Amino acid sequence: MEEFKAQRHLLTRRRLLQLSGVSSMGLLLSSCGTSLLSEPVGKLTEPLNLKVGELLLKPQTPVPEFPISAIEPNALLINSFNGTPQIDTDKFRLIIDGEVNQRLQLSMADIQKLPFNSMVIRHICVEGWAAIVQWGGVRLSDLIKLAQPKSQVRYAYFESADTYYESWDIASTLHPQTLLAYQKNGQSLSPENGAPLRLASPIKLGYKQSKWVTRVTLTSTLSSRKGYWIDEGYEWFGGI
């Protein structure tokens, strides 16, 4: 989640290619400029570039990771759009709801009982910088499986303690390297970096990776409130 104003320049296609090593076709998703692309779906809207994303994304194919020695401990900038919220970890509960058969309300102790996953990936910010970071936490797909989503679910909507909000396609949400992280570089996540839980994934740009996540709502339709920066004009899919 980066702090930037809508009038600031987005990452150029050439620079993003240098940072991520992805193909020029992949840049159709990650550097589409500032236009809002959407089309009607009943009374709601769906981004047109979701169709491109579905074609290019390989939902169960892991992105190559880096060795521990490649971690850049000071490269990840600490930014937020509305300051760092104060969260009592003991009282914290993650809610998973929406079109599910089993609504969940989980403490951090509950979450930390689930299988732990760690990955060393490149975090890419739309402002033009990148950092190789180790994230540790629980696969979001493991949590969603517990909630027993209904077959029509196509999106995940994320709410954060600082009032930030985001939405993802369900394929990216269930990608095996999409985590709700509570560790960074082998240490407990700091409040400034999104503790107790933040999104971490090598397949999305930084502004899609919400900090301080408190609720995940699974839904078959996408409302007009797609994401804080998306609603200011940034590209919805935000893929790499």
Side-chain angles (χ1 to χ4, degrees):
M1 190 189 316
E2 279 78 27
E3 181 182 11
F4 49 84
K5 296 181 188 254
Q7 65 267 27
R8 295 180 67 170
H9 294 299
L10 290 178
L11 194 57
T12 65
R13 291 173 182 242
R14 179 175 297 176
R15 180 58 177 153
L16 184 54
L17 180 61
Q18 293 170 343
L19 289 172
S20 65
V22 298
S23 68
S24 57
M25 182 175 289
L27 293 173
L28 288 170
L29 302 180
S30 55
S31 58
C32 294
T34 59
S35 63
L36 275 173
L37 302 177
S38 61
E39 69 174 355
V41 176
K43 296 180 180 179
L44 303 175
T45 58
E46 175 184 282
L48 287 174
N49 62 9
L50 174 59
K51 293 176 173 57
V52 181
E54 289 174 336
L55 290 173
L56 296 180
L57 179 68
K58 298 179 180 179
Q60 297 304 313
T61 303
V63 175
E65 298 180 16
F66 295 86
I68 294 289
S69 59
I71 292 172
E72 300 170 314
N74 300 314
L76 185 70
L77 301 184
I78 297 176
N79 297 318
S80 67
F81 91 110
N82 194 28
T84 300
Q86 301 299 309
I87 300 174
D88 186 333
T89 303
D90 292 334
K91 295 180 180 178
F92 172 84
R93 297 294 183 270
L94 173 70
I95 294 171
I96 302 179
D97 62 4
E99 296 175 39
V100 299
N101 293 313
Q102 183 64 52
R103 184 182 185 273
L104 301 178
Q105 185 168 301
L106 303 170
S107 68
M108 284 305 299
D110 295 328
I111 292 167
Q112 289 170 352
K113 290 176 184 176
L114 295 171
F116 177 81
N117 289 270
S118 178
M119 61 186 181
V120 181
I121 61 169
R122 179 180 279 120
H123 176 99
I124 299 177
C125 177
V126 75
E127 291 181 304
W129 56 268
I132 297 176
V133 184
Q134 181 186 39
W135 299 110
V138 60
R139 283 193 181 107
L140 187 50
S141 60
D142 289 345
L143 288 168
I144 289 175
K145 184 184 296 184
L146 294 176
Q148 303 172 27
K150 296 182 178 179
S151 60
Q152 69 267 23
V153 166
R154 295 191 64 200
Y155 307 100
Y157 184 86
F158 301 96
E159 296 180 37
S160 297
D162 64 342
T163 72
Y164 197 80
Y165 59 99
E166 253 302 341
S167 59
W168 287 32
D169 62 292
I170 195 62
S172 297
T173 303
L174 298 177
H175 190 277
Q177 289 164 295
T178 296
L179 304 184
L180 276 178
Y182 49 82
Q183 285 188 9
K184 171 181 170 282
N185 295 338
Q187 304 294 321
S188 295
L189 196 62
S190 68
E192 293 78 13
N193 270 310
L197 287 174
R198 63 162 294 152
L199 282 167
S201 180
I203 61 172
K204 293 290 185 183
L205 289 166
Y207 67 89
K208 299 293 291 185
Q209 299 183 42
S210 302
K211 300 177 183 178
W212 309 295
V213 174
T214 59
R215 183 186 295 264
V216 181
T217 300
L218 303 176
T219 177
S220 57
T221 55
L222 189 61
S223 77
S224 59
R225 292 182 81 242
K226 297 179 180 68
Y228 181 85
W229 288 113
I230 286 80
D231 292 346
E232 293 294 324
Y234 281 88
E235 190 265 324
W236 177 77
F237 196 83
I240 296 174

